[in-house]
Amino acid sequence: MKLIVIGSGGREHSIIRKLKENPEVEVIYVLPGNAGMRDLAECVNIKATDIEGITEFARTHEIDYAVVTPDDPLALGAVDALNAVGIPCFGPKKNAAIIEASKSFAKDLMRRYGIPTASYEVFSEMEAALAYIDTCPIPVVIKADGLALGKGVVIAKTREEARNAVCSMMQDKAFGDAGSTVVIEEFLEGPEVSVLSFTDGRTLVPMVSSMDHKRAMDNDEGANTGGMGTIAPNPFYTPEIAEECMNTIFLPTIRAMAAEGREFRGCLYFSLMLTKDGPKVIEYNCRFGDPETQVVLPLLKSDLLTIMKETTDGTLKPEDVVFADGAACCVIMASQGYPGKYEKGYPIHVEESVKDRIIYAGAALKDGELVTNGGRVLGVIGLGNTLKEAIQDAYQNTEKVSFANAFFRRDIGKKAL
Ligand code: AMP
Ligand code: GLY
């Protein structure tokens, strides 16, 4: 079989590594990919948002199956476009990807179908949003409605901060059109859990739970990033909570989407907060998480391609999704300065013994040598029977990796122990 994978980050590298375990896979093209994946896949210089370029490539290369993972091509309708030229695809169609692409859509869906989430109001007029902020409880959370690279969320501890956030999104257009509508919502407290799931629109099978670390510095300080590390499983997510989430959140969500004529197939990712009033949805993502995927897939014992095709065909079987009992940890090594300005182009050194534990997010080839080419450069994976072992393993492995200007958090998973 010939596959294409759309995207370029660590999530895609993890997916490709797992897909390659299937002996029927002859070749994987990754559009555009990064040089760190070149042993497993052929990188093709077509952007993930170039929907026409992607479909043209897939058609002319007689691709058998496509995997679309980043949010923007999904929101742009990459799956619909590939289906239209006869290529089956992993991922939701555009009308279902809206569950991530519009926060107000997601919030209204949850309100209408009684799915627990923070209470909220939606505003498309700045005056009304500012008036609301004069009286609402503080802290309060301000969210740009559209896709904003994970940066469109402000937790305001004062009214002043809340007003500034609204002005920056609605007046100064800090996130472009994504912020012309804002969601203002109740501030929730409790441990956060990421649960990715496979679904064919009717059956939903959760993957092992995980925990992201979004802030740049230890102790959850510093700026918000795309994620500085993950662990799986998440110990706050007990079997009792898992059952409650299945009944009050997961199944109601896919049923709601189906009832709206927006059947969701692919990976539906639930970002949850375990509040004292029970689990609540922080947000939905219409795709695998990054870097959650880097810890979830190493624990998947089953064949990924088989599961993906079942979600596409509407034949998902829970018994085909089996996870190992162990634990995994991913420590992201980033370029000094990320998520702000950083330098790139520095050679990456990885000892042979840990080669299989490295997931590349931002690497390029320069004179035949792998060099840094992004804020998040790579993820170092640790595995173990317990979380403690997995975390230790990951940090030991980081000692076998070096590049100039590298930094990483020293406390990934600490909260979980
Ligand atoms: P999001 O991009 O929606 O996942 O939000 C980014 C982060 O902001 C989340 O991981 C939470 O830590 C935090 N956050 C989002 N919504 C809320 C909320 N209603 N209450 C408290 N924290 C929130
Ligand atoms: N790890 C957060 C995300 O993928 O959105």
Side-chain angles (χ1 to χ4, degrees), residues 316-335:
L316 182 63
K317 291 182 279 301
E319 61 270 26
D320 287 349
V321 184
V322 180
F323 281 89
D325 283 333
C329 173
C330 171
V331 177
I332 297 290
M333 294 182 72
S335 304

Side-chain angles (χ1 to χ4, degrees), residues 69-197:
T69 35
D71 49 3
D72 15 343
L74 288 167
L76 289 169
V79 170
D80 311 60
L82 283 159
N83 287 169
V85 294
I87 295 164
C89 251
F90 178 80
K93 293 192 173 158
K94 183 176 179 173
N95 76 348
I98 191 175
I99 199 165
E100 171 169 3
S102 166
K103 289 195 196 284
S104 58
F105 169 86
K107 295 296 289 191
D108 290 346
L109 185 85
M110 289 186 266
R111 181 178 278 169
R112 261 182 291 130
Y113 289 87
I115 297 165
T117 187
S119 62
Y120 71 101
E121 297 291 335
V122 179
F123 298 94
S124 45
E125 302 291 339
M126 193 169 77
E127 291 311 312
L130 291 175
Y132 179 75
I133 282 171
D134 283 339
T135 58
C136 73
I138 297 288
V140 68
V141 183
I142 324 284
K143 299 185 174 184
D145 182 55
L147 297 177
L149 297 170
K151 293 180 187 126
V153 175
V154 174
I155 297 176
K157 295 196 184 70
T158 63
R159 281 186 214 286
E160 172 86 27
E161 273 180 61
R163 272 191 288 270
N164 290 343
V166 165
C167 290
S168 125
M169 288 181 200
M170 302 188 85
Q171 185 171 294
D172 308 338
K173 299 273 175 208
F175 304 107
D177 284 343
S180 47
T181 297
V182 297
V183 173
I184 302 185
E185 71 176 30
E186 173 198 5
F187 174 74
L188 299 177
E189 283 175 284
E192 283 186 57
V193 183
S194 300
V195 180
L196 318 185
S197 69

Side-chain angles (χ1 to χ4, degrees), residues 218-285:
D218 284 12
N219 303 314
D220 293 329
E221 284 167 19
N224 247 321
T225 71
M228 292 300 293
T230 38
I231 51 133
N234 184 325
F236 292 103
Y237 191 71
T238 61
E240 294 72 38
I241 294 175
E243 192 183 334
E244 185 179 354
C245 289
M246 190 68 165
N247 295 324
T248 62
I249 296 175
F250 305 163
L251 292 174
T253 299
I254 57 162
R255 285 175 191 148
M257 289 297 278
E260 296 286 315
R262 298 174 182 275
E263 191 178 64
F264 189 102
R265 294 186 179 193
C267 173
L268 184 54
Y269 158 171
F270 301 88
S271 177
L272 306 170
M273 199 169 267
L274 309 180
T275 75
K276 59 178 182 0
D277 303 320
K280 295 192 179 182
V281 178
I282 291 281
E283 66 164 357
Y284 295 114
N285 292 311

Side-chain angles (χ1 to χ4, degrees), residues 11 100 212 214 226-227 269 283 285 287-292:
R11 165 182 57 201
E100 171 169 3
D212 196 1
K214 288 199 168 111
Y269 158 171
E283 66 164 357
N285 292 311
R287 51 170 176 86
F288 280 95
D290 190 337
E292 283 90 343

